[in-house]
Amino acid sequence: MICLGVEATAHTFGVAVVDGKGRVLSNERDTYRPKKGWGIVPMDARNHHEEKASKVMEAALKKAGKAMEDVDIIAFSQGPGLPPCLYAGMNFSVELAKKTKKPLLGVNHCIAHIEIGRLTTKLKDPVTLYVSGANTQIIAHAAGKYRIFGETQDIGIGNALDKFGREAGLTFPYGPEIEKHASGGRWIGLPYVVKGMDLSFSGIVTEAIKRREKGEKLKDVCFSIQETMFAMVTEVIERALAHTGKSEVMLTGGVAANKRLQEMIEIMCRERGARSASVPWEYCGDNAAMIAWTGIIAHRAKQKPLNLKKAEVLPRWRTDQVDADWV
Ligand code: ATP
Ligand code: FE2
């Protein structure tokens, strides 16, 4: 079984070819870069995706050594994401499915992050921390679905770090820059905002910016913002472990690259006799291999192909709306 996957929920347009054994034969992408100082402009991202789509697909097939005839199913990221980007991915996939007469499956982007993580880390049934620019979720499988045990109530942890980095005059990419500056910093105390199992980051950013303006050292503020935010997510993960009785933690998303975050979670896991692992960098950010692999899983779980005339994008599709009874 060969699946061609298409990812287009935000910055990245990706196409990948994955086989039924979970071998990634190719994983190509082209990422939209906003103009300097800007965030993502959804219509510009859509134009980027439409422009690059065919080239990325050809590269993916070529690298995999496959032709469209070898492909059994096509899967695409149906949501959640920015509607203009999602449309670019869906329109491209629907056209391809029509032309080649292959079944087309819609895949949930967040679940795809978890499935490629389970494939590459070999963790079986982890509590997952998904921390990217826009997302901060603590997810675990329970009673047939991936359920969100905790999440941000405002902005994602990556965007929070980026906002502070920009205001503090650091250079892009901000997350790794803050990590560098944090080394050797001193604790200055910032608000710690855990509400039940949910988190909130925007007040911390505001306070951190104020502290910096009042003359606190950059390295101290960078250190403290990391310590605070990462301790918050570690606390929620620990409670999710206790509640579900699971013994594995998986880290994914761009922020999972942070060594201090990894360390805090490792320490917490060690103390509980649990195990943690980070998804390899290539599969941590948005990529199409995760969509192709989840397409294969969904196909095996008897998910019906979409009616090409009625296909729709699902910008607010939640993780716990998908029946994931394959776990
Ligand atoms: P989303 O998938 O939510 O739309 P995205 O595509 O921007 O967001 P990713 O590429 O997964 O998400 O992650 C990007 C984020 O990761 C940025 O906010 C960046 O600052 C952050 N990041 C990257 N490396 C590090 C690091 N070493 N420490 C902390 N944050 C980091
Ligand atoms: Fe993502």
Side-chain angles (χ1 to χ4, degrees):
M1 149 105 13
I2 299 271
C3 180
L4 180 131
V6 177
E7 160 61 29
T9 54
H11 303 80
T12 301
F13 187 88
V15 179
V17 180
V18 173
D19 75 8
K21 293 201 169 104
R23 285 182 297 213
V24 178
L25 306 181
S26 66
N27 188 23
E28 295 295 304
R29 69 190 106 188
D30 196 308
T31 301
Y32 153 80
R33 299 258 167 247
K35 290 192 198 87
K36 201 167 182 289
W38 288 43
I40 186 166
V41 180
M43 288 309 290
D44 287 355
R46 177 185 184 155
N47 291 341
H48 164 272
H49 297 347
E50 286 176 351
E51 202 178 295
K52 304 288 180 181
S54 300
K55 215 182 77 199
V56 177
M57 186 187 77
E58 279 159 27
L61 286 170
K62 187 164 174 220
K63 193 147 192 195
K66 301 286 175 197
M68 258 334 273
E69 298 88 76
D70 305 318
V71 171
D72 300 294
I73 53 173
I74 303 169
F76 78 103
S77 244
Q78 199 172 6
L82 299 169
C85 302
L86 292 172
Y87 276 112
M90 185 184 75
N91 293 343
F92 178 78
S93 306
V94 165
E95 280 312 306
L96 188 65
K98 275 186 189 158
K99 212 161 70 189
T100 58
K101 303 201 164 52
K102 311 278 180 190
L104 178 67
L105 298 181
V107 162
N108 180 291
H109 176 91
C110 300
I111 289 183
H113 271 294
I114 301 174
E115 291 304 341
I116 198 76
R118 289 206 303 140
L119 177 74
T120 54
T121 62
K122 309 248 178 339
L123 295 179
K124 287 203 169 60
D125 185 15
V127 169
T128 297
L129 173 66
Y130 172 33
V131 273
S132 62
N135 296 288
T136 300
Q137 296 187 332
I138 290 93
I139 308 163
H141 195 269
K145 287 181 176 181
Y146 282 113
R147 298 183 192 266
I148 299 168
F149 281 76
E151 65 189 318
T152 179
Q153 291 185 338
D154 44 42
I155 53 178
I157 194 166
N159 288 351
L161 290 169
D162 292 342
K163 192 160 173 235
F164 172 74
R166 206 177 302 124
E167 296 284 338
L170 302 181
T171 47
F172 181 85
Y174 303 107
E177 277 293 298
I178 293 172
E179 181 172 17
K180 253 189 260 158
H181 286 287
S183 141
R186 176 185 64 98
W187 173 247
I188 58 166
L190 287 173
Y192 183 98
V193 197
V194 176
K195 301 173 184 176
M197 290 290 275
D198 286 337
L199 307 145
S200 161
F201 299 106
S202 60
I204 303 172
V205 174
T206 309
E207 181 61 22
I209 294 168
K210 266 197 217 149
R211 295 297 195 88
R212 185 73 189 115
E213 284 166 359
K214 283 188 185 151
E216 294 282 6
K217 286 196 190 120
L218 179 63
K219 65 175 183 181
D220 294 343
V221 183
C222 289
F223 174 81
S224 300
I225 203 168
Q226 285 204 156
E227 292 299 299
T228 307
M229 291 182 175
F230 298 166
M232 286 162 50
V233 293
T234 306
E235 180 196 324
V236 175
I237 297 168
E238 180 165 26
R239 243 178 297 131
L241 282 172
H243 179 77
T244 57
K246 296 190 198 290
S247 56
E248 297 169 325
V249 175
M250 185 168 82
L251 275 75
T252 190
V255 185
N258 190 288
K259 292 281 177 293
R260 178 60 182 145
L261 174 62
Q262 294 176 4
E263 183 187 39
M264 271 196 204
I265 291 171
E266 268 160 31
I267 293 169
M268 179 272 288
C269 283
R270 209 180 308 132
E271 286 173 355
R272 302 184 54 87
R275 194 157 91 78
S276 68
S278 301
V279 176
W281 178 245
E282 186 187 354
Y283 303 113
C284 241
D286 292 349
N287 66 89
M290 68 185 198
I291 305 302
W293 175 236
T294 309
I296 288 176
I297 293 173
H299 174 77
R300 285 181 181 152
K302 310 264 182 283
Q303 182 179 316
K304 283 204 192 75
L306 291 169
N307 177 339
L308 299 183
K309 289 199 188 92
K310 289 189 189 156
E312 258 311 328
V313 298
L314 303 169
R316 294 180 176 278
W317 196 9
R318 283 185 58 93
T319 308
D320 52 12
Q321 288 174 313
V322 179
D323 284 320
D325 42 14
W326 57 77
V327 179

